[in-house]
Amino acid sequence: MLYFRLIHLDYDMKRLCLLLTLVLGFAARLLLIFSIDQNTLINCFFFDDSFDLLDIARNIAAGNGVTHDGLHVTNGFQPLYVLVLVPIYWIADLNRVFPIYFAAVFLSICSVVSAFLCFKIVERLFNTKAAFFSLL
């Protein structure tokens, strides 16, 4: 009976540590996103392909079709990510600033979900210590 309680406590402690790690990681990302100015955010978080995807989403929301420059039809982009951004551009009335912040927060959420999935996979394949090490 005592052994079962210790295992249960260990399981609860593991879940608490995992939750704290993921929440702190997400909070740190949000703090960084919203504490720096717009130019630093753009220069540090987004690179060439990111702007292509943002332009494609903005053009779709504006009714110009799947185009990067407004003239030529394009392909070879990540459609799911663009489809997430299109309604944001439409709601933001083609504002160029708000979707950048939204994209940074959305990618932070994706990063936390990926960390959780990585933890679960490594825990299943190896052990809990290795899974926590994989979060680094």
Side-chain angles (χ1 to χ4, degrees):
M1 185 79 163
L2 180 62
Y3 181 73
F4 178 73
R5 287 184 184 169
L6 290 175
I7 290 175
H8 188 67
L9 180 66
D10 185 39
Y11 178 75
D12 288 341
M13 187 59 76
K14 178 191 77 165
R15 289 180 60 186
L16 179 64
C17 289
L18 175 61
L19 180 67
L20 281 174
T21 303
L22 294 176
V23 167
L24 287 175
F26 184 64
R29 286 175 177 85
L30 288 181
L31 181 66
L32 185 62
I33 290 168
F34 291 109
S35 67
I36 59 178
D37 63 305
Q38 177 185 343
N39 290 331
T40 306
L41 176 70
I42 291 171
N43 292 328
C44 292
F45 280 87
F46 295 96
F47 300 101
D48 295 337
D49 290 343
S50 302
F51 293 111
D52 293 342
L53 296 174
L54 291 170
D55 285 340
I56 292 168
R58 190 181 77 247
N59 281 316
I60 292 172
N64 298 331
V66 183
T67 176
H68 167 68
D69 57 5
L71 299 173
H72 304 95
V73 177
T74 188
N75 62 7
F77 60 91
Q78 300 296 327
L80 183 60
Y81 182 60
V82 170
L83 288 177
V84 167
L85 293 177
V86 167
I88 301 307
Y89 271 104
W90 188 72
I91 290 169
D93 198 25
L94 305 178
N95 181 335
R96 290 181 178 250
V97 177
F98 175 73
I100 292 173
Y101 281 96
F102 176 85
V105 171
F106 177 72
L107 292 174
S108 296
I109 292 169
C110 290
S111 177
V112 170
V113 170
S114 296
F116 175 75
L117 293 174
C118 180
F119 178 89
K120 290 309 233 178
I121 291 169
V122 172
E123 183 183 41
R124 186 175 184 107
L125 292 175
F126 299 102
N127 58 32
T128 304
K129 288 181 184 177
F132 276 110
F133 186 72
S134 73
L135 293 178
L136 297 177

